[in-house]
């Protein structure tokens, strides 16, 4: 009887280990900020980086991009940086200072829609953003020259929950 119980237990264990689980890929759920936008027709970060490379100072293009958030303003959530791949980022502000994003959304998936452009950022502005990001006074003091940056003015943002 004892052998039968052990054999039955082993059999049940073997069957349960062979059970295949089917996982259904869940569609990401997004929180919306600013104007209502959809996920459809968002460009990849690689495509957007190539578009940025063709822009000159003063050029602007309308687009929608899907990527990850790198950094967010830790004072209000009034700006963020977007990963473009190859160690490149886009600095994102929000249209008319009309909305903010959660300050804890770093590394989350996002979709943003608006205007992409290239702009030179002054030393004073770079230092201000470094303060917002929580950089040390020593790190801020090292900022000595303006920087040409990829920028984005978003009118709508989706962030994965």
């Amino acid at each position: 009887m004892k052998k039968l119980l052990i054999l039955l237990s082993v059999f049940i264990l073997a069957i349960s280990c062979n059970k295949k689980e089917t996982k259904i890929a869940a569609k990401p759920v997004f929180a919306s900020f600013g104007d209502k936008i959809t996920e459809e027709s968002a460009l990849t970060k690689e495509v957007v980086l190539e578009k940025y490379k063709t822009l000159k100072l003063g050029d602007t293009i309308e687009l929608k991009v899907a990527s990850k958030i790198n950094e967010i303003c830790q004072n209000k959530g009034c700006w963020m940086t977007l990963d473009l791949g190859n160690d490149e980022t886009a600095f994102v502000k929000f249209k008319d200072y009309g909305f903010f994003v959660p300050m804890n959304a770093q590394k989350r998936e996002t979709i943003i829609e608006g205007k992409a452009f290239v702009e030179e950022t002054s030393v004073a502005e770079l230092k201000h953003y470094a303060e917002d990001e929580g950089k040390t006074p020593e790190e801020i003091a090292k900022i000595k020259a303006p920087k040409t940056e990829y920028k984005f003015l978003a009118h709508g943002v989706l962030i994965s929950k």
Side-chain angles (χ1 to χ4, degrees):
M1 182 70 173
K2 203 175 191 182
K3 287 182 181 180
L4 184 60
L5 206 52
I6 292 173
L7 187 61
L8 185 60
S9 297
V10 170
F11 179 72
I12 291 172
L13 184 62
I15 289 174
S16 66
C17 288
N18 281 336
K19 217 178 212 184
K20 291 185 181 179
E21 289 185 29
T22 39
K23 291 184 181 180
I24 298 171
K27 185 177 178 186
V29 178
F30 290 98
S32 180
F33 303 89
D35 293 348
K36 209 66 161 152
I37 65 170
T38 64
E39 302 165 47
E40 287 77 38
S41 68
L43 302 172
T44 65
K45 65 184 181 182
E46 294 84 6
V47 169
V48 171
L49 180 57
E50 290 307 311
K51 289 186 179 287
Y52 267 117
K53 288 179 180 180
T54 66
L55 298 177
K56 297 182 285 295
L57 286 173
D59 290 348
T60 302
I61 55 172
E62 289 276 340
L63 54 83
K64 185 189 300 186
V65 60
S67 187
K68 279 194 177 176
I69 299 168
N70 281 347
E71 299 293 332
I72 295 178
C73 170
Q74 292 302 294
N75 285 338
K76 295 183 203 175
C78 59
W79 58 261
M80 66 184 181
T81 60
L82 190 67
D83 178 31
L84 296 177
N86 295 332
D87 294 325
E88 296 282 356
T89 60
F91 185 85
V92 181
K93 285 186 176 179
F94 310 112
K95 186 178 178 193
D96 298 328
Y97 208 63
F99 62 96
F100 305 117
V101 296
M103 294 180 288
N104 64 346
Q106 292 93 333
K107 307 304 177 209
R108 289 195 200 165
E109 294 295 325
T110 187
I111 297 171
I112 63 173
E113 186 173 332
K115 295 180 182 188
F117 56 99
V118 177
E119 183 177 77
E120 186 174 274
T121 307
S122 70
V123 171
E125 204 171 352
L126 289 169
K127 287 184 176 191
H128 172 77
Y129 295 137
E131 286 175 14
D132 284 352
E133 200 176 327
K135 300 267 185 191
T136 66
E138 294 79 24
E139 290 172 303
I140 295 168
K142 290 179 183 177
I143 300 171
K144 303 270 188 209
K147 183 178 177 185
T148 301
E149 297 182 294
Y150 299 139
K151 296 209 175 174
F152 201 97
L153 183 61
H155 61 78
V157 176
L158 298 174
I159 299 176
S160 64
K161 291 184 177 183

